[in-house]
């Protein structure tokens, strides 16, 4: 099983460039999440999608946009990258309203903005 | 969102039990207590979760205080592969939003 797949794994951007981080899950989960993790820190929630067609802001949404393209895919877009957005980005998914509420995380996208 | 407090770091000897504490004094009656761990250079992985009663699975045990204001993750025999950052998270089922809010976690070092 692939689980949660993130692409790309590594990316270097120049300040002001845009890019989209892709996330796909094959577990038929309803909810998906985007987190960022700065060095030595815990994960901070950027955006989440409780179900297909809905998205909501998390703790640190500024500078990001998201799209829940379908049930499988949840993308994160940086319109104008800034050095402060250098981080490791994790996508996660979970099946809500189920007894087993385990969340599955991708392996991360390491983004550097220079 | 209710917050959790964990020690920044802990050490354990290999093959000894490890007790990782978590305080969550503002927990509400419907918040589930979840534990995840993050191995170096990997995404977090699920360890265990519970509501009121103690829970056991193949990875660990979760002991929940009677007043639910604290919990303890128990690794029965630590191995070198258990060296990771362990996160204690509260997850509400009534808010309509099922987001996980991570704290800074406890970095567990296992000594050979």
């Amino acid at each position: 099983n692939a689980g949660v797949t993130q692409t790309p794994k590594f990316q270097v951007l120049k300040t002001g460039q845009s890019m989209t981080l892709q996330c796909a899950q094959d577990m038929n989960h309803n909810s998906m999440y985007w987190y960022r993790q700065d060095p030595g820190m815990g994960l901070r929630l950027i955006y989440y999608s409780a179900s297909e067609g809905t998205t909501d802001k998390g703790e640190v949404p500024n500078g990001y946009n998201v799209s829940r393209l379908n049930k499988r895919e949840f993308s994160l877009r940086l319109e104008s990258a800034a050095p402060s957005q250098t981080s490791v980005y994790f996508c996660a998914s979970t099946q809500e309203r189920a007894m087993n509420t385990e969340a599955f995380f991708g392996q991360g996208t390491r983004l550097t903005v220079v | 969102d209710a917050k959790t407090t964990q020690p920044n770091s802990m050490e354990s000897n290999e093959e000894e039990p490890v007790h990782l504490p978590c305080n969550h004094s503002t927990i509400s009656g419907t918040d589930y207590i979840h534990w995840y761990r993050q191995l170096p250079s990997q995404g977090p992985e699920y360890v265990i979760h519970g509501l009121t009663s103690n829970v056991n699975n193949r990875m660990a045990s979760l002991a929940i205080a009677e007043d639910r204001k604290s919990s303890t993750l128990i690794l029965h025999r630590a191995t070198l592969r258990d060296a990771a950052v362990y996160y204690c998270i509260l997850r509400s089922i009534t808010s309509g939003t099922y987001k996980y809010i991570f704290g800074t976690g406890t970095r567990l070092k296992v000594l050979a």
Side-chain angles (χ1 to χ4, degrees), chain A residues 33 35 37 48 96 101 103, chain B residues 34 36 38 91 97-98 100:
Chain A
Y33 310 81
Y35 291 87
Q37 185 173 35
Y48 63 99
E96 301 302 340
T101 56
Chain B
H34 285 246
Y36 283 75
Q38 187 175 22
R91 187 161 179 264
T97 58
Y98 296 82
Y100 294 83

Side-chain angles (χ1 to χ4, degrees), chain A residues 31 33 35 37 40-43 45 48 50 59 90 94-97 99-103 105-107 110, chain B residues 3 32 34 36 38 41-46 49 87 91 93 96-105 107:
Chain A
S31 297
Y33 310 81
Y35 291 87
Q37 185 173 35
M41 305 288 287
L43 280 73
L45 182 64
Y48 63 99
E59 303 171 89
F90 290 100
T94 186
Q95 181 70 317
E96 301 302 340
R97 302 181 183 87
M99 289 302 294
N100 179 359
T101 56
E102 174 182 354
F105 287 78
Q107 291 299 299
R110 188 173 298 274
Chain B
K3 300 296 184 185
Y32 276 77
H34 285 246
Y36 283 75
Q38 187 175 22
S41 300
Q42 294 191 26
E45 64 176 356
Y46 169 81
H49 77 278
Y87 295 100
R91 187 161 179 264
I93 63 168
T97 58
Y98 296 82
K99 55 187 184 285
Y100 294 83
I101 301 296
F102 284 73
T104 54
R107 183 174 299 277

Side-chain angles (χ1 to χ4, degrees), chain B residues 54-70:
Chain B
N54 295 343
V55 183
N56 299 299
N57 66 20
R58 62 175 180 82
M59 289 182 69
S61 295
L62 176 60
I64 301 173
E66 194 170 339
D67 63 5
R68 299 205 334 120
K69 293 186 177 182
S70 66

Side-chain angles (χ1 to χ4, degrees), chain B:
Chain B
D1 297 306
K3 300 296 184 185
T4 62
T5 304
Q6 300 176 252
N8 287 334
S9 62
M10 293 184 65
E11 283 187 0
S12 173
N13 293 319
E14 196 176 12
E15 298 191 4
E16 289 188 356
V18 182
H19 291 233
L20 298 167
C22 180
N23 288 318
H24 29 78
S25 59
T26 60
I27 192 171
S28 71
T30 54
D31 284 346
Y32 276 77
I33 302 160
H34 285 246
W35 285 82
Y36 283 75
R37 72 179 186 180
Q38 187 175 22
L39 302 172
S41 300
Q42 294 191 26
E45 64 176 356
Y46 169 81
V47 177
I48 201 167
H49 77 278
L51 183 61
T52 56
S53 303
N54 295 343
V55 183
N56 299 299
N57 66 20
R58 62 175 180 82
M59 289 182 69
S61 295
L62 176 60
I64 301 173
E66 194 170 339
D67 63 5
R68 299 205 334 120
K69 293 186 177 182
S70 66
S71 61
T72 303
L73 178 70
I74 303 166
L75 306 180
H76 296 286
R77 289 183 65 222
T79 70
L80 296 178
R81 291 179 297 174
D82 291 322
V85 179
Y86 287 78
Y87 295 100
C88 170
I89 303 160
L90 300 183
R91 187 161 179 264
S92 171
I93 63 168
T94 60
S95 66
T97 58
Y98 296 82
K99 55 187 184 285
Y100 294 83
I101 301 296
F102 284 73
T104 54
T106 297
R107 183 174 299 277
L108 175 65
K109 185 176 182 180
V110 180
L111 306 174

